[in-house]
Amino acid sequence: MAADRWKPSVTVAAVIEKDGRYLMIEEMTRDGLRINNPAGGLEPGESPVEGAIREALEETACHFTPQALLGVYLARNPDSERGPGVTYLRFAFCGSASDPVPGRALDSPVVRTLWMTFDEIAAAGDRLRGPLVLQCIADHRAGRRLPL
């Protein structure tokens, strides 16, 4: 039956590093304030690259230029009292970003952007949106790159 078909939530993420720091967002979630890569759901009709460019602009006010695919990741959030966990299929891209577009507001629920070192991100621990946040940055630091 179609109702029983497994459907992971497809997301895209931008990993942007400059001078040893990563562009991160702080956003309000149902679990409180969390730190994430600029990321979000893939929209109908867009490619993963297009989605990553859009999400980065919406969440950071910066134009993102993807240079490589970091990887395709799969993770499941655990079930909770709020409902069953969600499985995420994430396409993560790395590249560069412009300075923020003057006057462009960040999309809700993003509260602010942050430039953080790897150690600061790793130390954030339970404030990270999920395990893929740190995994994508660790893969970037390790030099993982796949051509677009």
Side-chain angles (χ1 to χ4, degrees):
M1 286 199 309
D4 296 321
R5 189 171 173 196
W6 180 62
K7 298 174 191 167
S9 178
V10 179
T11 63
V12 291
V15 175
I16 301 162
E17 181 269 335
K18 183 178 178 182
D19 300 327
R21 294 186 175 275
Y22 289 88
L23 181 55
M24 307 298 288
I25 62 163
E26 191 171 45
E27 62 187 335
M28 186 54 71
T29 72
R30 67 182 185 180
D31 298 315
L33 218 50
R34 295 290 181 262
I35 295 169
N36 198 359
N37 315 103
L42 187 65
E43 292 187 355
E46 70 183 357
S47 72
V49 168
E50 292 167 341
I53 292 168
R54 176 187 50 76
E55 284 291 343
L57 180 61
E58 290 175 354
E59 295 190 347
T60 69
C62 299
H63 291 285
F64 174 55
T65 303
Q67 295 163 334
L69 175 68
L70 279 177
V72 180
Y73 303 84
L74 192 67
R76 179 172 168 77
N77 287 354
D79 296 341
S80 72
E81 64 277 354
R82 291 181 298 275
V86 175
T87 298
Y88 292 96
L89 178 66
R90 174 186 263 205
F91 291 84
F93 299 89
C94 62
S96 60
S98 70
D99 288 336
V101 175
R104 182 172 175 106
L106 304 178
D107 274 12
S108 177
V110 177
V111 174
R112 65 181 174 149
T113 60
L114 305 160
W115 285 95
M116 301 174 73
T117 65
F118 176 79
D119 291 341
E120 289 168 340
I121 297 164
D126 61 354
R127 291 196 57 229
L128 299 179
R129 180 81 189 254
L132 295 181
V133 175
L134 188 60
Q135 182 64 56
C136 289
I137 295 199
D139 286 350
H140 181 268
R141 284 174 42 97
R144 182 175 183 172
R145 308 286 189 278
L146 302 165
L148 293 178

